[in-house]
Amino acid sequence: MADLLSLCLTLQPLEAPDPTDPLPQWWGRAAHALLLNVTRQYNPSLAEQLHEAPDESGQAIRPFTTSTLVGNFDHGALDPQGRYALRLTSFHHPLTHILLEAAQEGPLAVGAQVELDRRPFQILAARSQPLAEGERPVGKLDGWADLQEYPQLSASLLLAKEPPPRRLRLRFASPASFKSGGKHIPLPLPELVFGSLLEKWNAFAPLAFPAEARRYAAECLAIGRYELSSRAVGGKNGGLRVGGVGWVSFTTLNYDRYWMSVMGVLARFAAFAGVGAGVAQGMGQCRL
């Protein structure tokens, strides 16, 4: 049974926009609430654990991410005929099982209605499998859909005959920000990106990677080329969290087949785990 899930939903609004009711600038909190509400229908205890767990800067790690709502917001309003996309991920087997069941015959299945920030939407498509070659996506995020197992993901590089690449290029689709030394750092530095992924992998994967992987990322990976822009996401009490959006190419300065295989596995894991802080509410959406 799969451990890792990237579930991509295609949604359509069910009500005409109300010009007197402004939309949220960021839908991450609404997506977070949706995931918890769905989980609560199947496993109230797990939903409570996910709700109470601190984010990546605390002692516990939430084993899921959400995206903000993606689509057309002309004049700050929803298009009643438009299609919108939302992504929910899990890297914890019990939660993955719940989301898959919900997408097949439950509250996330095609035809079901869901609420985001008190606004109703109908689910037009729920995709958990990667696009086949030549297949055209239905939703804006369908290219991110995936379903994997931890051993399958790691074996693809650790047991491969071909040596791993010297460069890893990551795309940051939503602002990535990291908490380090009591500060928020809006730049995807190698030790922050791969350190974040290592913590999540070791918390839930059946086979942990050595802690020295963080040191390799810090000492032996460097940023090569990049295209990044800063973006701000609204937080609690009117605060803002700034992060980087775009892509970064990481290059090894001291090539080692094993360590670059580990870095490659973590880079692929990013599509399920996100990177940095705030991934449970839409930040840090990232993939190789």
Side-chain angles (χ1 to χ4, degrees):
M1 185 65 181
D3 306 303
L4 309 167
L5 170 67
S6 175
L7 177 65
C8 299
L9 304 175
T10 302
L11 311 174
Q12 185 173 33
L14 287 175
E15 293 181 355
D18 181 357
T20 65
D21 186 15
L23 297 178
Q25 295 296 311
W26 188 256
W27 295 78
R29 290 186 182 179
H32 176 269
L34 172 63
L35 185 145
L36 292 181
N37 288 336
V38 170
T39 304
R40 192 172 292 113
Q41 296 180 43
Y42 291 88
N43 189 330
S45 177
L46 177 59
E48 192 65 22
Q49 293 175 25
L50 298 177
H51 176 69
E52 292 182 350
D55 63 17
E56 291 82 341
S57 61
Q59 296 298 313
I61 297 174
R62 292 177 176 176
F64 66 90
T65 81
T66 69
S67 75
T68 189
L69 192 65
V70 177
N72 183 26
F73 296 93
D74 280 348
H75 307 295
L78 291 167
D79 178 1
Q81 303 302 318
R83 291 185 173 185
Y84 294 82
L86 190 73
R87 193 170 78 103
L88 308 175
T89 80
S90 167
F91 47 102
H92 182 41
H93 176 79
L95 180 58
T96 294
H97 177 74
I98 286 173
L99 294 179
L100 278 175
E101 186 172 344
Q104 291 167 359
E105 299 178 350
L108 297 179
V110 174
Q113 295 183 17
V114 296
E115 282 195 358
L116 294 172
D117 195 55
R118 306 181 310 280
R119 294 166 174 84
F121 293 81
Q122 184 175 34
I123 298 178
L124 302 181
R127 186 178 190 95
S128 60
Q129 297 289 343
L131 292 171
E133 185 175 354
E135 183 180 4
R136 299 184 62 182
V138 174
K140 297 179 182 296
L141 295 177
D142 279 1
W144 290 67
D146 204 357
L147 192 62
Q148 295 267 359
E149 298 178 2
Y150 278 108
Q152 175 188 4
L153 188 69
S154 57
S156 63
L157 280 173
L158 292 175
L159 301 181
K161 294 181 179 179
E162 296 296 324
R166 293 177 174 270
R167 296 179 179 84
L168 296 167
R169 176 166 156 166
L170 290 177
R171 174 190 173 194
F172 300 89
S174 68
S177 177
F178 305 85
K179 190 171 183 180
S180 178
K183 300 178 181 179
H184 285 287
I185 300 176
L187 298 173
L189 301 176
E191 60 270 28
L192 300 179
V193 171
F194 291 93
S196 169
L197 292 168
L198 179 67
E199 287 182 3
K200 296 174 184 180
W201 178 277
N202 284 353
F204 293 98
L207 180 64
F209 289 137
E212 288 80 4
R214 182 191 298 272
R215 181 178 176 183
Y216 181 86
E219 297 181 358
C220 301
L221 291 186
I223 292 178
R225 301 183 64 186
Y226 64 90
E227 288 186 6
L228 289 171
S229 300
S230 62
R231 296 286 188 275
V233 174
K236 294 182 179 179
N237 303 320
L240 290 176
R241 181 176 289 176
V242 177
V245 176
W247 61 266
V248 177
S249 177
F250 299 98
T251 303
T252 178
L253 303 177
N254 183 12
Y255 184 81
D256 179 274
R257 177 166 183 157
Y258 171 73
W259 288 120
M260 283 308 295
S261 294
V262 172
M263 297 298 109
V265 172
L266 293 177
R268 294 186 182 188
F269 180 54
F272 305 98
V275 294
V279 296
Q281 297 186 0
M283 294 187 69
Q285 296 280 291
C286 174
R287 67 171 175 170
L288 187 65

